[in-house]
Amino acid sequence: PQGRPVVRRGAPGLRLRRTADELAALAAAAMARSTSPDGRSVMRPAAVAGDLLGLAAIVIPRPDRDTTELVVRRLTGSQALVALLAFPRVLGWRDPGVLERHFEQLGWIAAEVPVFTVRVPWGPPFADDLPRNLLDAIGW
């Protein structure tokens, strides 16, 4: 692969469990909010032209009952690759060609895109400035 990694837009909205309503309210200014037929909040990001978006960063949240503030750590090199390998798109692949391609693609992504782990204070309640602090911490 060459150039910057891109991702497809995917689903137009993210359905959140009731326990995430407070967090959803914090992001309400940047996203449209509605309710799904099963009563969940649905967050829809602002419209973006096109089906492909540049991948600016990957954030791996780690909810933590023992922390009171965000702890952001940027992973590099093999640490980033190992972290990404922990989240396979499909479990159980055994075909060597598929596994090789997957490993190569994740290696390329880990080299091109910043990967972060973030220890997040357990919630709810969530701090009002949590989304802004997270974006600031990853430099976005």
Side-chain angles (χ1 to χ4, degrees), residues 4 30-31 45 48 53-57 59 114 116 131-140:
R4 195 86 171 139
M31 297 186 180
V48 178
L53 303 171
L55 186 56
V59 176
F116 300 91
R132 171 66 10 218
N133 289 343
L134 174 58
L135 293 175
D136 288 346
I138 66 171
W140 196 43

Coordinates of all heavy atoms in Angstrom, one line a residue, residues 4 30-31 45 48 53-57 59 114 116 131-140:
R4 N -1.6 7.6 2.3 CA -2.2 7.6 3.6 C -3.3 6.7 3.7 O -4.2 6.6 2.8 CB -2.6 9.1 3.9 CG -2.9 9.4 5.3 CD -1.7 9.8 6.0 NE -2.1 10.3 7.3 CZ -1.4 10.0 8.4 NH1 -0.3 9.4 8.3 NH2 -1.8 10.5 9.5
A30 N -21.5 18.6 18.2 CA -20.9 18.3 17.0 C -21.6 17.2 16.2 O -21.2 16.9 15.1 CB -19.5 17.7 17.3
M31 N -22.7 16.7 16.8 CA -23.3 15.6 16.1 C -24.8 15.7 16.2 O -25.3 16.2 17.2 CB -22.9 14.2 16.7 CG -21.5 13.9 16.6 SD -21.2 12.2 17.2 CE -19.5 12.0 17.0
P45 N -22.4 11.9 13.0 CA -21.5 13.0 12.8 C -21.9 13.9 11.7 O -22.7 13.6 10.8 CB -20.2 12.3 12.4 CG -20.5 10.9 12.3 CD -21.9 10.6 12.7
V48 N -20.0 14.6 5.8 CA -18.7 14.6 5.2 C -18.8 14.2 3.8 O -19.5 13.1 3.5 CB -17.7 13.8 5.9 CG1 -16.3 13.8 5.2 CG2 -17.5 14.2 7.4
L53 N -12.6 8.5 4.0 CA -12.0 9.5 4.8 C -10.6 9.1 5.2 O -10.3 8.0 5.4 CB -12.9 9.6 6.1 CG -14.3 9.8 6.0 CD1 -15.0 9.7 7.3 CD2 -14.6 11.2 5.5
G54 N -9.7 10.1 5.3 CA -8.4 9.9 5.7 C -8.4 9.5 7.2 O -9.1 10.0 8.0
L55 N -7.6 8.5 7.5 CA -7.5 8.0 8.9 C -6.4 8.9 9.6 O -5.2 8.7 9.4 CB -7.1 6.5 8.9 CG -7.1 5.8 10.2 CD1 -8.4 5.9 10.9 CD2 -6.7 4.3 10.0
A56 N -6.9 9.7 10.5 CA -6.0 10.7 11.2 C -5.3 10.1 12.4 O -4.2 10.4 12.8 CB -6.8 11.9 11.6
A57 N -6.0 9.2 13.1 CA -5.5 8.6 14.4 C -6.4 7.4 14.7 O -7.5 7.3 14.3 CB -5.5 9.6 15.5
V59 N -7.5 5.5 18.3 CA -7.6 5.6 19.7 C -8.2 4.4 20.3 O -9.3 4.0 20.0 CB -8.4 6.9 20.2 CG1 -8.5 6.9 21.7 CG2 -7.8 8.1 19.6
P114 N -0.9 7.6 13.7 CA -0.7 7.6 15.1 C -1.7 6.7 15.8 O -2.9 6.7 15.6 CB -0.9 9.1 15.6 CG -0.9 9.9 14.3 CD -1.3 9.0 13.2
F116 N -2.9 5.4 19.7 CA -2.9 5.8 21.1 C -3.7 4.9 21.9 O -4.7 4.4 21.5 CB -3.6 7.2 21.3 CG -2.9 8.3 20.5 CD1 -3.3 8.6 19.2 CD2 -1.9 9.1 21.1 CE1 -2.7 9.7 18.5 CE2 -1.3 10.1 20.4 CZ -1.7 10.4 19.1
P131 N -14.4 14.9 26.0 CA -14.1 14.9 24.5 C -13.1 15.9 24.1 O -12.2 15.5 23.3 CB -15.5 15.2 23.9 CG -16.5 14.8 24.9 CD -15.8 15.2 26.2
R132 N -13.2 17.1 24.5 CA -12.2 18.1 24.1 C -10.8 17.8 24.6 O -9.8 17.9 23.9 CB -12.6 19.5 24.7 CG -11.7 20.6 24.5 CD -11.3 21.1 23.1 NE -12.1 20.7 22.0 CZ -11.6 20.4 20.8 NH1 -10.3 20.5 20.6 NH2 -12.3 20.0 19.8
N133 N -10.7 17.3 25.9 CA -9.4 16.9 26.4 C -8.8 15.8 25.6 O -7.5 15.7 25.4 CB -9.5 16.6 27.9 CG -9.7 17.8 28.8 OD1 -9.5 18.9 28.3 ND2 -10.1 17.6 30.0
L134 N -9.6 14.8 25.2 CA -9.1 13.7 24.4 C -8.5 14.2 23.1 O -7.4 13.8 22.7 CB -10.2 12.6 24.2 CG -9.8 11.5 23.3 CD1 -8.6 10.7 23.8 CD2 -10.9 10.5 23.1
L135 N -9.3 15.0 22.4 CA -8.9 15.5 21.1 C -7.6 16.3 21.3 O -6.7 16.2 20.4 CB -10.0 16.3 20.4 CG -11.2 15.5 20.0 CD1 -12.3 16.4 19.5 CD2 -10.8 14.5 19.0
D136 N -7.5 17.2 22.3 CA -6.3 18.0 22.5 C -5.1 17.0 22.8 O -4.0 17.3 22.3 CB -6.5 18.9 23.7 CG -7.4 20.1 23.4 OD1 -7.7 20.3 22.2 OD2 -7.9 20.7 24.4
A137 N -5.3 16.0 23.6 CA -4.2 15.1 24.0 C -3.6 14.4 22.8 O -2.4 14.1 22.8 CB -4.7 14.1 25.1
I138 N -4.5 14.1 21.8 CA -3.9 13.4 20.6 C -3.5 14.3 19.5 O -3.1 13.9 18.4 CB -4.9 12.3 20.1 CG1 -6.2 12.9 19.5 CG2 -5.2 11.3 21.2 CD1 -7.1 11.9 18.8
G139 N -3.6 15.6 19.8 CA -3.2 16.6 18.9 C -4.1 16.9 17.7 O -3.7 17.2 16.6
W140 N -5.4 16.7 17.9 CA -6.4 16.8 16.8 C -7.2 18.0 17.0 O -8.0 18.2 17.9 CB -7.2 15.6 16.7 CG -7.9 15.5 15.4 CD1 -7.4 15.8 14.2 CD2 -9.3 15.1 15.1 NE1 -8.4 15.6 13.2 CE2 -9.5 15.2 13.8 CE3 -10.3 14.7 16.0 CZ2 -10.7 14.8 13.2 CZ3 -11.5 14.3 15.4 CH2 -11.7 14.4 14.1

